[in-house]
Amino acid sequence: MSGNAIANAAAVLDDAAVKAQAVDQFAPGSFDLADAYRIQRASIQRRVARGDGIRGIKLGFTSRAKMIQMGVDSLIWGWLTETMIEEEGGTVDLGRYIHPRVEPEVCFLTRRTIDRPITALEAADYVEAVAPALEIIDSRYRNFKFTLEDVVADNCSSAGLVVGPWSRRFEGLGNAGVGVTVNGRLVLSGSTAAILGHPLRTLVQASRLLSSCERSLPAGSLVMAGAATAAHALAPGAHIRCDINGLDRVEFFTGSAS
Ligand code: OOG
Ligand code: MG
């Protein structure tokens, strides 16, 4: 794909995000996975040029539940930026989004720069703290339908995130119960073991992915490990709460319909 075509695709996806208006999927075979990551990078550069800052990365499709829901079976990654962060315990304006869904996540705060592939034994040493989090995903494609290449180009549906209180309680993180309630009703439940067997393994994967494209991640970055369960559509006037056993809880509200 030419540099121009990459910039054009990035502009289409970035505009869709800014205007909160869905766009059509790209024609099948328009670009390969390497080009999809180039489009993703170009769309993030547009955000950064507007003054947004990079805060970390997210992994996607690290659990079977997510792969099955979306019909995609490869691990993917994208960028998290400052303006995606929603206030914990606050009210999220759904007008910023197209067709938002929420999913429970484990979020890591890194302690050391990740600038080479790390092993599972080393992973814990790279973590400063862990928090329960809720990710708001919002595909820019109509009907939330995409191929692997489409979703990577669209920065892996990254749109919003709400991060709960940080802690250093890592014991039990490998198999902790996860529950999401909406207005007090349990809508999603699972275990952190669904995330690559242990959420810390996502740091190993992240380090490999970053190295393969010659990028590093500074200390103090966020790493979202990927949802342990499928995602749930967000509606107005709701209280969304996620509890992860051994960690604190994280919650937010959605504004009333306008
Ligand atoms: C893609 C993003 C996947 C996860 O946690 O697996 C993801 C999507 O489902 O739209 O964030
Ligand atoms: Mg996610």
Side-chain angles (χ1 to χ4, degrees):
M1 209 180 192
S2 72
N4 248 346
I6 285 173
N8 286 341
V12 166
L13 291 166
D14 182 47
D15 285 348
V18 170
K19 296 183 188 144
Q21 268 171 17
V23 293
D24 288 331
Q25 280 179 255
F26 292 97
S30 305
F31 49 82
D32 62 14
L33 196 58
D35 280 338
Y37 278 106
R38 287 187 193 104
I39 296 168
Q40 178 192 105
R41 183 74 197 157
S43 81
I44 292 300
Q45 275 161 353
R46 291 173 62 98
R47 281 176 170 266
V48 170
R50 287 195 296 271
D52 204 353
I54 291 181
R55 282 296 283 114
I57 60 170
K58 66 168 271 183
L59 288 140
F61 304 133
T62 51
S63 71
R64 293 285 305 150
K66 279 292 302 183
M67 291 183 189
I68 290 165
Q69 184 183 31
M70 304 316 295
V72 173
D73 62 5
S74 298
L75 199 148
I76 57 176
W77 70 288
W79 299 95
L80 301 172
T81 67
E82 211 67 66
T83 57
M84 294 179 189
I85 299 175
E86 299 274 11
E87 188 197 347
E88 206 277 317
T91 300
V92 166
D93 172 13
L94 295 185
R96 271 185 68 182
Y97 301 93
I98 303 167
H99 37 207
R101 297 178 179 178
V102 68
E103 55 189 24
E105 300 243 353
V106 169
C107 185
F108 293 112
L109 179 67
T110 60
R111 193 175 77 81
R112 297 172 58 177
T113 300
I114 300 179
D115 54 5
R116 63 177 177 84
I118 64 171
T119 65
L121 279 177
E122 291 172 308
D125 197 36
Y126 280 74
V127 178
E128 178 66 39
V130 59
L134 284 161
E135 182 178 20
I136 302 170
I137 52 170
D138 194 32
S139 176
R140 267 54 69 163
Y141 301 111
R142 229 175 287 292
N143 303 322
F144 232 109
K145 287 263 175 351
F146 45 67
T147 62
L148 178 67
E149 290 78 13
D150 288 330
V151 67
V152 165
D154 185 28
N155 196 28
C156 306
S157 308
S158 304
L161 63 150
V162 183
V163 180
W166 294 110
S167 91
R168 295 190 44 82
R169 290 193 296 273
F170 300 114
E171 61 292 343
L173 192 60
N175 187 9
V178 176
V180 176
T181 59
V182 175
N183 295 333
R185 186 173 68 88
L186 187 66
V187 296
L188 299 169
S189 64
S191 161
T192 56
I195 307 162
L196 301 180
H198 194 305
L200 272 177
R201 294 212 180 111
T202 59
L203 290 170
V204 176
Q205 293 298 331
S207 73
R208 289 186 190 159
L209 292 163
L210 286 160
S211 295
S212 69
C213 60
E214 289 166 7
R215 297 201 183 278
S216 66
L217 192 69
S221 296
L222 305 178
V223 178
M224 295 278 273
T229 71
H232 183 82
L234 275 176
H239 171 212
I240 293 92
R241 168 174 163 166
C242 168
D243 285 89
I244 300 185
N245 214 356
L247 300 181
D248 218 318
R249 66 161 191 251
V250 54
E251 62 191 341
F252 67 91
F253 298 83
T254 56
S256 53
S258 52

